[in-house]
Amino acid sequence: MELLTAQDTQSLLQAIQELYSPRSFESFGVAVVTIVDRLVPSEVPIFHLNNLRLHQISSTFLPGYPGFTPEMDEVSRCYWGEHPIIRNMPRTLDGAYKTSDFTTSAEFHRLEGLYQQFLRLIGCEDQMTLFLPGHKSESCSEVSPGNCLLIGVSLNRSQRSFTERDRLILNLLRPHLFQAYCNAQHYQQLQQDLNELQQSFNQLSVVILNAEGQIQRATPQAKAWLETYFSKPTCSFQLPDHLWAWVKHQVNGFTGEPDSVKAWLPLRIHQDGKQLIIRLVVDQTTEQYLLLMEEQTLFLLKSLEWLGLSQRETEVLFWIMRGKDNKAIAAQLSIGKSTVRKHLESIYLKLGVQSRTEAIAQALERLGLVNTLPVI
């Protein structure tokens, strides 16, 4: 059995440690060929993903290597079945194998497609290939474009000089390559999730304050509304004086438990036919204040007042027309669901209807908006 030297063992351990460094999926292939080439040098090391179902081969090379021409890629796709390592699957899926394990130089040279039109052009006289474990390819009883995904590393040399030491190092590295590949996939997914979360957060209108009223975080929309509805504060990181005074007034009236979270009735500010609704949430444990903002167009709300409804009935009907149920309306108006039901009964009576749908239709008809329901 081949034994590794102390230097080989040290280099292998360093390579494994480097493989497990967090990195994006896009940079993973370059990292693999760089690390593998240091352990088992070759003229053309390649990290490849072969999607046989789609007849696609994606290859990653060392930085600076020009890669393959489109013609060479096409030859590789057309003649992949000639490859001695491919022909000897599924046996060759369990570790590192050389083309010279299965064919002589003369037999290799007689491969008119794979060798003469592809491997000869990159100076390859022997190739050692390693497929990663744990993929669907390992369960394939027969390799075909319909049922396998092959992911691995191929090392190309101009001479048949691969040793058993090279094979042993690659086989020892193999499970770590696979785990690092999975880590890179998970890392990429986490990055995507984080980006989506950041985008979702930016679409909200949120301001996070400390106990002194200084803005610790604010989404772009929240900043825009602060500038629109309030006079500019003396400091860019300070909440507008009028709004900070309202926050302090609410907080000073809070007598709850130290570890409790409290939300108050919202602040409503009207301007140019719109209203900005600001809700305050306080976390006593972190001493942070959260302002949630929402802007509403008041055109429809103002129009509903012409129907002879009370202000609260108008607001209830407004939210019904926006598709809210009783629970959502109660939360929006900070009233109980039973109160919402009483307002609904009064609305039905005044409009001469018996359901929410009839109330909406009757309101639109009286306002002359039957065919022109505004986008809210």
Side-chain angles (χ1 to χ4, degrees):
M1 179 180 177
E2 185 75 17
L3 297 177
L4 297 182
T5 65
Q7 181 60 46
D8 284 336
T9 302
Q10 183 63 31
S11 298
L12 183 60
L13 292 175
Q14 291 176 352
I16 292 172
Q17 182 178 12
E18 188 175 345
L19 271 176
Y20 286 130
S21 298
R23 57 172 49 87
S24 67
F25 191 66
E26 289 78 7
S27 65
F28 178 75
V30 174
V32 168
V33 292
T34 301
I35 292 171
V36 172
D37 187 61
R38 214 162 49 226
L39 295 172
V40 183
S42 65
E43 282 87 342
V44 186
I46 308 170
F47 174 75
H48 49 80
L49 294 88
N50 303 341
N51 189 325
L52 304 180
R53 183 184 301 277
L54 301 178
H55 302 282
Q56 293 177 346
I57 301 176
S58 174
S59 301
T60 303
F61 307 91
L62 285 173
Y65 187 79
F68 300 148
T69 65
E71 293 76 15
M72 295 169 68
D73 284 333
E74 182 62 26
V75 170
S76 176
R77 282 192 293 269
C78 291
Y79 294 98
W80 71 278
E82 286 188 357
H83 202 296
I85 293 176
I86 299 297
R87 289 204 310 264
N88 284 275
M89 286 184 174
R91 172 188 172 188
T92 52
L93 293 172
D94 65 1
Y97 287 89
K98 305 176 289 183
T99 54
S100 54
D101 289 333
F102 308 104
T103 182
T104 65
S105 292
E107 292 170 337
F108 193 48
H109 293 168
R110 284 197 292 269
L111 298 176
E112 291 294 334
L114 183 69
Y115 176 79
Q116 295 296 338
Q117 299 182 49
F118 177 46
L119 294 178
R120 180 181 64 84
L121 302 182
I122 64 173
C124 175
E125 291 298 325
D126 200 6
Q127 184 182 91
M128 181 171 277
T129 296
L130 174 77
F131 293 112
L132 302 191
H135 284 282
K136 189 168 53 175
S137 57
E138 286 228 316
S139 63
C140 297
S141 58
E142 180 180 352
V143 177
S144 70
N147 64 3
C148 286
L149 173 67
L150 302 178
I151 301 175
V153 178
S154 293
L155 308 179
N156 300 275
R157 285 184 180 178
S158 57
Q159 298 179 358
R160 295 198 161 196
S161 57
F162 287 109
T163 65
E164 289 307 305
R165 172 262 183 199
D166 299 334
R167 195 196 307 268
L168 176 59
I169 285 182
L170 291 177
N171 283 333
L172 290 173
L173 191 64
R174 182 172 178 255
H176 300 286
L177 284 170
F178 171 66
Q179 185 59 58
Y181 175 82
C182 294
N183 292 349
Q185 286 185 311
H186 295 323
Y187 182 82
Q188 176 175 275
Q189 185 61 53
L190 288 173
Q191 289 294 320
Q192 291 176 350
D193 293 344
L194 182 61
N195 290 337
E196 291 176 1
L197 180 61
Q198 183 65 52
Q199 291 174 5
S200 299
F201 180 78
N202 289 337
Q203 290 173 359
L204 299 174
S205 300
V206 180
V207 177
I208 301 175
L209 308 171
N210 61 19
E212 287 73 42
Q214 295 176 334
I215 298 175
Q216 296 181 315
R217 185 78 181 272
T219 62
Q221 183 61 75
K223 291 179 180 178
W225 282 342
L226 287 177
E227 294 176 0
T228 300
Y229 285 87
F230 298 93
S231 58
K232 189 174 182 179
T234 55
C235 299
S236 60
F237 57 84
Q238 191 72 33
L239 203 65
D241 294 340
H242 174 64
L243 183 54
W244 176 231
W246 174 78
V247 171
K248 289 193 295 183
H249 177 74
Q250 304 300 311
V251 174
N252 290 338
F254 178 54
T255 58
E257 296 297 326
D259 60 346
S260 62
V261 175
K262 170 90 174 166
W264 287 266
L265 293 177
L267 173 67
R268 300 172 185 266
I269 303 175
H270 293 205
Q271 181 174 293
D272 299 330
K274 297 180 179 180
Q275 72 170 346
L276 182 67
I277 302 175
I278 303 176
R279 294 176 174 81
L280 170 66
V281 178
V282 176
D283 187 345
Q284 296 290 95
T285 58
T286 62
E287 296 186 345
Q288 282 187 326
Y289 306 149
L290 185 68
L291 299 180
L292 308 177
M293 301 184 182
E294 177 187 2
E295 188 180 55
Q296 296 175 355
T297 300
L298 298 177
F299 168 73
L300 182 58
L301 187 61
K302 287 291 184 183
S303 299
L304 293 176
E305 295 176 357
W306 302 341
L307 299 176
L309 305 177
S310 69
Q311 179 180 352
R312 187 61 86 185
E313 290 167 355
T314 298
E315 292 174 341
V316 170
L317 181 56
F318 172 79
W319 288 110
I320 288 175
M321 297 177 75
R322 297 195 65 172
K324 302 291 186 180
D325 59 18
N326 288 3
K327 182 179 180 181
I329 294 173
Q332 184 71 33
L333 300 180
S334 301
I335 58 179
K337 287 193 293 184
S338 60
T339 304
V340 173
R341 287 194 294 270
K342 290 181 180 178
H343 287 312
L344 273 175
E345 293 172 0
S346 179
I347 292 170
Y348 293 166
L349 181 62
K350 291 180 179 181
L351 297 182
V353 299
Q354 297 181 348
S355 68
R356 303 165 84 96
T357 302
E358 291 179 355
I360 294 173
Q362 183 64 227
L364 293 175
E365 183 176 350
R366 291 191 185 186
L367 295 174
L369 299 174
V370 174
N371 297 319
T372 58
L373 180 61
V375 177
I376 305 171

